[in-house]
Amino acid sequence: MKELIDFKEKIDKDKLEEVCKSIKDGSVIVFPTETVYGIGANALDKSAVKKIFMAKNRPTDNPLIVHISNYDMLDKVVSNVTKYEKILMDKFWPGPLTIILPKKEEIPNIVTCNLDTVGVRMPSNKIAINIIEKSGVPIAAPSANISGKPSGTLVTDIVDELKDSVDYIIDGGISDIGLESTVVKLENDVVNILRPGAITKEDILSTGLNVVLDKHLFKDVQENEKVASPGMKHRHYAPKVKTILVYSNDEKKEYDRICDIINENNNKKIGILGFNENKEKYINKPNVKFMCIGSKHDLNSVAKNVFTVLRKLDKYDLDLSIIEGVEKQGIGLAIMNRLTRACGYNVIEL
Ligand code: TXA
Ligand code: MG
């Protein structure tokens, strides 16, 4: 890494220019967006994009999202936009929504892993928009993390794993949302949610469009099964320690079940990822280490913390960890999607 740049307080114009020039010259950078940090490069530069795959150790069949800052750039990237896709753009861009669209030839196949579609997003984060706009090129950027690990939402979480493989890391503080963008694809005029995020099913329904959830959001992909988005096939967000997700809308039922698991494993060191409000219930148990994932009355706080807390799990020498789930509504759907995958589909719903 050439430099860790601090844009938390303000964007330094000269530094911004230096970074943007280096992007045009083929650099790879870590930069903030409103969802999670991205590891990005000029989407039109094959060898720069290749460096992203190497830095992340990313499977070569998992395509990258292309980030744009204006609609002229969209025209350079995709060949067609339907009126339904336009509705989504008007309502949710700039913001945490990625739309899968037919790609133009100019986008190299390495970006899309030979698919004829490309995921496009116009982020709202000021630093991200400035970088794309000043570079003047679309930026291909997956989440900034080694493949399989939780996405980076804080520079301190990812600096060690990425510093040797990128040119600049730009610190913009903690990511506002904390979960990756909602990924959608229009099919027969229906919005298919391929990855849930902060733009919720309810938000999309409010535009008058029909919405369906992909069948793999909470179900593991079987061998040889076809998927709508390659990312669904790959193990993700997973801590090393065995982890169970427990959820019931009856709080007592959920707590009793978690206590049963703690008692059955009283010779083991157990991590609980739970809500602030439940801390008192767990902290006196001798074999338990409690970690807070936010407030149960504020799911946005859970979204913001969840990846950092998942990363912490492996820092304590645990034998087992248990996560308190949330209702699959609003952003809760995206939180449960990430947690379900983090647990390797080891879920108890009561
Ligand atoms: O919020 C975000 O989306 C962040 C920030 C940096 O923008 N990026 C991100 O990228 O999460 P990544 O690469 O970690 O996730 C992209 C997801 C993957 O699951 C990938 O399979 C899917 O989008 N995807 C990309 N292009 C696709 C395509 N053409 N068709 C279907 N799925 C696609
Ligand atoms: Mg990712």
Side-chain angles (χ1 to χ4, degrees):
M1 176 175 61
K2 277 194 207 123
E3 198 177 341
L4 177 67
I5 298 173
D6 186 350
F7 279 176
K8 287 202 291 292
E9 294 297 321
K10 77 179 227 315
I11 303 174
D12 180 279
K13 265 191 161 173
D14 294 340
K15 276 287 153 214
L16 178 70
E17 220 148 278
E18 179 184 329
V19 168
C20 294
K21 183 178 175 303
S22 90
I23 288 174
K24 279 187 275 188
D25 293 341
S27 284
V28 177
I29 66 162
V30 170
F31 67 104
T33 84
E34 69 279 18
T35 55
V36 299
Y37 276 78
I39 172 168
N42 177 358
L44 308 175
D45 179 340
K46 282 185 227 167
S47 55
V49 172
K50 187 160 179 220
K51 287 192 256 175
I52 299 177
F53 279 87
M54 296 198 327
K56 282 186 61 104
N57 194 18
R58 184 174 177 99
T60 50
D61 66 349
N62 197 5
L64 310 185
I65 293 173
V66 171
H67 297 69
I68 57 168
S69 58
N70 59 58
Y71 285 94
D72 286 341
M73 243 182 222
L74 179 71
D75 288 341
K76 298 204 174 96
V77 173
V78 306
S79 60
N80 187 44
V81 174
T82 67
K83 64 177 179 197
Y84 300 110
E85 288 149 353
K86 186 80 179 55
I87 291 173
L88 295 174
M89 290 171 189
D90 287 346
K91 174 94 186 194
F92 300 114
W93 278 4
L97 181 75
T98 296
I99 309 176
I100 308 294
L101 294 159
K103 93 172 185 76
K104 269 204 175 143
E105 289 238 331
E106 283 81 344
I107 295 292
N109 283 328
I110 185 168
V111 173
T112 59
C113 304
N114 297 317
L115 296 176
D116 53 12
T117 54
V118 59
V120 186
R121 171 163 115 79
M122 190 188 286
S124 61
N125 176 284
K126 230 173 106 186
I127 299 170
I129 283 285
N130 268 285
I131 290 172
I132 307 165
E133 192 68 22
K134 264 239 148 32
S135 310
V137 290
I139 296 201
S143 53
N145 54 277
I146 299 285
S147 283
K149 284 205 176 198
S151 303
T153 52
L154 269 178
V155 162
T156 44
D157 284 348
I158 48 176
V159 65
D160 285 341
E161 68 194 54
L162 295 174
K163 65 177 187 301
D164 295 332
S165 38
V166 303
D167 297 289
Y168 294 95
I169 294 185
I170 298 169
D171 192 346
I174 186 169
S175 307
D176 274 344
I177 294 169
L179 297 177
E180 310 87 343
S181 61
T182 308
V183 177
V184 298
K185 188 175 185 186
L186 258 292
E187 233 142 349
N188 305 321
D189 305 339
V190 175
V191 181
N192 282 251
I193 297 187
L194 308 184
R195 181 176 72 182
I199 302 292
T200 63
K201 180 182 172 185
E202 295 83 351
D203 291 334
I204 299 172
L205 282 170
S206 77
T207 63
L209 295 172
N210 292 321
V211 182
V212 295
L213 300 177
D214 189 273
K215 64 175 183 201
H216 287 115
L217 298 190
F218 296 97
K219 220 174 77 196
D220 204 357
V221 177
Q222 303 306 306
E223 221 177 303
N224 299 327
E225 203 176 356
K226 260 189 96 176
V227 288
S229 176
M232 293 166 176
K233 285 186 301 202
H234 299 290
R235 184 129 171 81
H236 221 321
Y237 317 114
K240 290 196 192 87
V241 58
K242 181 184 171 186
T243 302
I244 310 171
L245 174 62
V246 184
Y247 176 71
S248 168
N249 56 13
D250 178 337
E251 276 185 36
K252 178 162 186 326
K253 227 168 154 182
E254 181 182 303
Y255 178 67
D256 287 348
R257 184 58 173 266
I258 293 177
C259 288
D260 286 347
I261 302 174
I262 294 173
N263 292 333
E264 284 158 19
N265 293 279
N266 60 7
N267 57 339
K268 291 190 178 154
K269 200 168 162 201
I270 300 177
I272 302 279
L273 263 59
F275 304 113
N276 221 348
E277 293 84 356
N278 296 346
K279 186 173 173 182
E280 299 304 319
K281 296 198 224 166
Y282 294 110
I283 48 170
N284 293 324
K285 297 186 187 292
N287 58 332
V288 165
K289 160 90 194 149
F290 183 86
M291 281 166 263
C292 181
I293 50 171
S295 164
K296 65 179 167 195
H297 303 302
D298 175 13
L299 291 190
N300 291 329
S301 71
V302 177
K304 203 161 175 157
N305 286 323
V306 68
F307 287 148
T308 289
V309 184
L310 280 173
R311 278 173 175 271
K312 270 198 197 133
L313 265 180
D314 285 328
K315 300 220 164 86
Y316 303 97
D317 196 21
L318 302 169
D319 302 304
L320 176 68
S321 73
I322 304 168
I323 309 181
E324 294 189 322
V326 302
E327 193 181 353
K328 286 177 187 158
Q329 226 183 52
I331 198 164
L333 186 81
I335 294 169
M336 286 297 270
N337 166 263
R338 306 311 191 271
L339 290 177
T340 300
R341 301 186 68 191
C343 295
Y345 303 90
N346 209 345
V347 182
I348 301 173
E349 275 192 87
L350 303 162

